[in-house]
Amino acid sequence: MTQIASHPLIEQWAEDFRSQPDLPGPEWLQQLRQSAAAEFISAGLPGRKTEAWKYTPLRILEQRAPAMSRKLTGDHSESDFPAPVISAEIPTIDGLNGCLPEQLPATPAGLELLTLEKGLVTCKEQFEKLIPAIETSGASRVFAALNTAFLQQGLVIRVGVNCDAGTLLLRWAFNEDGAKAIGNARIVILLEQGARLELVEQFDSVGDVAGTLNLVTQAELAEGSCLVHTRVMKESDEAVILTSTAVEQAAESSYQYSGFDLGGGLVRHEFSSRLAGPGASAGFDGAFVLDRKRHVDNHISVDHASAGCSSSQFFRGVLGGKSRGVFNGKALIRPGADGSSVRQSNANLLLSGLAEVDTKPELEIYADEVEASHGATVGQLDEEAVFYLRSRGLSDPMARRLLTAAFCHAVTDRLANRELAEQLSALVDSAMPKSMIGQETQE
Amino acid sequence: MLEIKNLHATVGGKPILKGLDLSIAAGEIHAIMGPNGAGKSTLGNVIAGRDGYEVTAGEVLYQGKNLLELEPEERACEGVFLAFQYPVEIPGVNNTYFLRAALNAQRKYRDQPELDSMQFLKLVREKLEILHISDDLLHRAVNEGFSGGEKKRNEIFQMAVLEPSLAILDETDSGLDIDALRLVAEGVNRLRSADRSMIVVTHYQRLLDYIIPDAVHVLSDGKIVASGDAQLALKLEDQGYSWLEDGGIEAVAG
């Protein structure tokens, strides 16, 4: 390594990289780690001049300077994990401080769970193409580069041809060992032809731990397969969660993401979906409910590379306190991706004069007969509706909370899993900001 | 029950009510009629406590309490109910959930035990039956996608559940066809009782064919200019409001 790091934190991570013991893995992976390290060192931390990170400062990481976690496997005690958001009768995998267990739960036929280490052996040829496919160059991809440079553990989820694997729960938590560290994990999801999987990820710790998770998820959806992906962010204000999800979709496959960012101090989700085969569809739904100084950023990029594909983005944000929300939804309709349909919508409620939201839907269309709609709004509660509720006896804060929660229910209402929808509606309700305009002094 | 004395109110700085006096005893229904712009809706909104309506003089005493000092929700908890001229659509808020929250907020205020969902559902089904309303209303979001008639019936349904002691029906007949009007009026009549007073604000007499008032008042330019019994409404129907300007107040009997 000869480059000079551009930033103290990058220098620290570069040092972490140089001093780490030799990691196992095939030759191509060793080289990939080296080149990813070179990339994060030369790119430096994204700053205000990095377009994709313009609204998401990383001060909290700079102050904390978390070291790269070296731990391969954790002793996972149930007491480190809050109750699951969905009934516990489903296979559950617990990741502690970014570290996934070696012992994986029993699964129904057709669903296979492997550690990343085993996956590198079992799915050798596939991984040799898939793992390096994640974009790691430039300042905007520093965390993906870090994830690759320190790649050593993770989870592989594989669902066989025409198999409905049901629901899988992945719980992420920090305990005190995770404070001041950054955990890197890689999830690989392989759905074979006609396969179906519902993956629910819960980010939630027992205590308020200043942990950092850098999670990269790669999904390959074969023809006609379906991945339903739900994330429930319930972390404390101390937690930093950075995720990057890349989905490669064959013909008629479907990816449906629903994210509920109800917690976390700094949360950034990046998605890139490539609709590579005709008739593929990708949906991104999200609700973020922010208070205090919390920050949530959703960056979505959908690439319509084939004809007759559809994508949608539907995000609702509620911001109180001095919080900040960022939504950037991009859809690219390439030449030849005729008959595509794209819908983008982001509506936000600002409950405080000090909260801020930056929203940017972007459409680039180079094909014919494309059906496209996009819209972004930032507003306040409808005072007519507030008065209507108050005239029936609800207090002003109750009325505002009810209306604000209802605004987010537009997202939970779209969930196909009704049990989860009910749970999440209740979670959304209880996540409503304490500070609401018009009653700041009353509570 | 309700004593309004010399009420003056402005909206956006413009005087609308200019010395209104009105007294309603328990169990009575009073109709307020008058031409457009007379201040009929303003009266309802001032009593309910809507923002933007500034009372510049006078008082509103309700069961001995100064209503104007109370927040809108406190007035509701004291038993005041405004049936809106334009009920607000609230997507995402379930009708049943909202109504139970409202009823329990009122019960809590009155130191009564709150109703659990089973008790509430029982109550609600009784009221639906009395008003002949289908229970699919319960599963819908408040007023969302309701027809004009459904919205007005939902107001009456809410009134039936909340059991106010003073109800103000603000142009509840507007925008209704004759069948919908009859249904709404029947609902109102079922809710008449010796301890419930009502103010029925309307532009047209036809609602009063179904809801027979104890008294009729004519509101013009922010004041009550004539009062009488139900016959007065018929006279208005016959002669319109133009006689007001001709100084025809003396001509009114009762």
Side-chain angles (χ1 to χ4, degrees):
Chain A
M1 215 58 45
T2 52
Q3 287 107 327
I4 310 286
S6 51
H7 190 282
L9 186 54
I10 293 286
E11 177 50 42
Q12 179 193 319
W13 290 338
E15 188 49 41
D16 284 344
F17 184 79
R18 287 181 210 112
S19 62
Q20 75 178 342
D22 286 342
L23 297 176
E27 180 56 27
W28 64 264
L29 184 56
Q30 305 290 0
Q31 282 171 13
L32 186 67
R33 287 188 187 118
Q34 290 291 338
S35 61
E39 271 168 335
F40 85 72
I41 292 166
S42 69
L45 269 192
R48 219 176 292 172
K49 286 180 185 156
T50 316
E51 183 61 30
W53 286 83
K54 200 161 131 188
Y55 301 111
T56 300
L58 292 164
R59 279 187 301 271
I60 186 171
L61 270 190
E62 294 177 56
Q63 284 158 7
R64 238 175 238 182
M68 285 298 146
S69 173
R70 292 259 171 85
K71 210 154 182 203
L72 263 173
T73 53
D75 300 322
H76 294 186
S77 152
E78 182 60 29
S79 62
D80 285 322
F81 292 86
V85 289
I86 190 164
S87 71
E89 301 302 312
I90 53 173
T92 302
I93 299 153
D94 293 333
L96 188 63
N97 305 324
C99 183
L100 289 153
E102 276 194 343
Q103 285 297 316
L104 295 168
T107 54
L111 170 62
E112 197 180 358
L113 299 176
L114 301 166
T115 61
L116 187 78
E117 207 179 354
K118 283 212 183 94
L120 284 164
V121 179
T122 315
C123 317
K124 198 167 150 243
E125 276 157 35
Q126 205 169 4
F127 275 32
E128 201 169 338
K129 272 194 285 179
L130 181 71
I131 301 284
I134 202 96
E135 180 62 54
T136 52
S137 64
S140 67
R141 298 298 297 166
V142 152
F143 295 99
L146 270 178
N147 189 284
T148 299
F150 291 89
L151 183 69
Q152 52 182 322
Q153 59 93 33
L155 174 71
V156 181
I157 305 167
R158 199 157 63 167
V159 185
V161 176
N162 290 331
C163 169
D164 184 347
T167 308
L168 188 65
L169 176 65
L170 187 45
R171 290 192 295 183
W172 297 103
F174 299 112
N175 67 6
E176 280 309 321
D177 297 340
K180 308 283 173 206
I182 176 165
N184 286 287
R186 175 87 46 125
I187 309 292
V188 176
I189 302 167
L190 304 170
L191 300 192
E192 292 178 7
Q193 210 173 333
R196 189 182 184 282
L197 173 73
E198 180 169 2
L199 174 67
V200 179
E201 285 184 275
Q202 175 176 358
F203 301 77
D204 191 5
S205 298
V206 173
D208 295 357
V209 182
T212 303
L213 177 64
N214 180 24
L215 178 64
V216 171
T217 304
Q218 293 181 269
E220 280 218 329
L221 310 190
E223 199 177 324
S225 65
C226 170
L227 176 60
V228 178
H229 186 192
T230 306
R231 279 192 179 136
V232 187
M233 183 65 59
K234 289 180 69 192
E235 266 298 347
S236 75
D237 287 16
E238 297 295 309
V240 176
I241 308 283
L242 307 166
T243 77
S244 182
T245 303
V247 188
E248 178 76 16
Q249 298 188 237
E252 301 293 334
S253 66
S254 127
Y255 175 69
Q256 175 59 53
Y257 172 80
S258 305
F260 297 87
D261 290 313
L262 313 175
L266 170 61
V267 177
R268 160 107 171 179
H269 297 297
E270 294 173 7
F271 299 91
S272 68
S273 155
R274 202 171 84 92
L275 305 175
S281 66
F284 298 87
D285 288 2
F288 47 96
V289 180
L290 305 183
D291 202 359
R292 299 177 294 279
K293 288 172 138 181
R294 294 179 40 223
H295 185 117
V296 168
D297 178 348
N298 277 283
H299 257 74
I300 299 159
S301 166
V302 183
D303 181 350
H304 285 247
S306 190
C309 294
S310 62
S311 71
S312 73
Q313 299 166 17
F314 185 91
F315 275 72
R316 291 277 171 109
V318 169
L319 301 99
K322 293 180 180 171
S323 65
R324 191 164 186 186
V326 182
F327 172 80
N328 185 289
K330 196 190 273 179
L332 166 67
I333 323 285
R334 291 188 188 271
D338 300 339
S340 292
S341 137
V342 193
R343 280 172 215 288
Q344 294 178 314
S345 154
N346 169 227
N348 302 284
L349 270 183
L350 285 184
L351 302 178
S352 144
L354 298 172
E356 183 179 329
V357 65
D358 299 285
T359 173
K360 191 176 172 193
E362 291 178 73
L363 280 175
E364 272 184 68
I365 302 175
Y366 302 103
D368 297 324
E369 289 174 53
V370 172
E371 193 188 306
S373 68
H374 69 138
T377 61
V378 180
Q380 277 97 38
L381 283 179
D382 174 8
E383 291 299 322
E384 270 293 291
V386 174
F387 176 66
Y388 189 74
L389 297 181
R390 290 179 73 191
S391 79
R392 300 300 183 247
L394 296 180
S395 68
D396 187 71
M398 273 170 84
R400 286 174 196 281
R401 205 162 295 148
L402 190 62
L403 291 171
T404 311
F407 179 75
C408 295
H409 290 171
V411 182
T412 50
D413 285 350
R414 290 160 66 95
L415 284 170
N417 183 334
R418 293 320 298 164
E419 188 209 334
L420 194 58
E422 240 171 71
Q423 296 270 1
L424 288 173
S425 296
L427 282 179
V428 165
D429 291 357
S430 56
M432 285 301 130
K434 294 283 176 282
S435 57
M436 297 240 179
I437 271 185
Q439 49 104 166
E440 259 124 315
T441 51
Q442 289 181 26
E443 285 210 333
Chain B
M1 164 71 75
L2 182 72
E3 282 290 337
I4 300 175
K5 288 177 197 157
N6 191 34
L7 186 63
H8 286 71
T10 61
V11 180
K14 190 179 169 218
I16 304 289
L17 297 183
K18 302 169 182 174
L20 185 143
D21 296 289
L22 184 65
S23 172
I24 299 177
E28 288 183 352
I29 292 190
H30 287 220
I32 309 272
M33 301 185 68
N36 288 326
K40 300 191 300 291
S41 286
T42 298
L43 175 63
N45 285 321
V46 166
I47 295 175
R50 187 192 286 265
D51 260 358
Y53 291 78
E54 201 192 339
V55 174
T56 49
E59 59 181 1
V60 178
L61 292 174
Y62 168 68
Q63 292 178 332
K65 283 187 183 152
N66 180 359
L67 213 51
L68 301 177
E69 281 180 347
L70 303 179
E71 294 292 332
E73 58 269 33
E74 293 172 320
R75 301 180 196 200
C77 292
E78 290 286 347
V80 175
F81 180 91
L82 173 67
F84 280 52
Q85 183 179 2
Y86 304 108
V88 185
E89 296 200 17
I90 310 183
V93 176
N94 172 274
N95 224 356
T96 314
Y97 181 86
F98 149 64
L99 203 47
R100 188 178 147 215
L103 180 64
N104 278 337
Q106 295 199 13
R107 290 180 67 91
K108 203 172 159 189
Y109 180 91
R110 297 175 201 138
D111 289 324
Q112 294 166 329
E114 295 183 25
L115 298 186
D116 65 28
S117 54
M118 293 306 289
Q119 292 166 318
F120 179 73
L121 216 58
K122 188 168 170 278
L123 171 78
V124 153
R125 294 209 187 283
E126 279 169 24
K127 302 294 182 186
L128 285 173
E129 208 175 300
I130 297 171
L131 299 177
H132 305 297
I133 298 176
S134 144
D135 68 355
D136 68 51
L137 183 86
L138 300 177
H139 310 298
R140 296 167 68 179
V142 180
N143 294 324
E144 192 189 21
F146 284 28
S147 69
E150 284 178 320
K151 281 182 186 168
K152 298 298 174 81
R153 288 177 78 191
N154 193 25
E155 295 291 287
I156 304 305
F157 168 62
Q158 290 175 25
M159 173 173 141
V161 172
L162 297 173
E163 302 188 305
S165 48
L166 173 66
I168 304 140
L169 310 185
D170 187 8
E171 307 226 5
T172 295
D173 51 338
S174 69
L176 297 188
D177 62 29
I178 195 70
D179 292 329
L181 179 77
R182 199 177 292 144
L183 282 167
V184 165
E186 274 173 23
V188 172
N189 284 329
R190 288 202 178 84
L191 299 174
R192 284 184 100 143
S193 83
D195 49 12
R196 178 169 301 132
S197 309
M198 296 191 207
I199 298 174
V200 178
V201 174
T202 181
H203 186 76
Y204 299 105
Q205 183 270 338
R206 61 173 193 170
L207 178 66
L208 305 180
D209 284 342
Y210 302 99
I211 304 171
I212 311 294
D214 298 297
V216 175
H217 308 278
V218 179
L219 185 61
S220 177
D221 194 26
K223 282 184 209 169
I224 293 201
V225 293
S227 296
D229 59 15
Q231 293 304 311
L232 177 57
L234 293 171
K235 179 181 163 65
L236 288 171
E237 176 75 359
D238 205 33
Q239 301 182 6
Y241 292 110
S242 59
W243 56 272
L244 289 171
E245 284 147 32
D246 307 335
I249 298 166
E250 296 87 343
V252 177

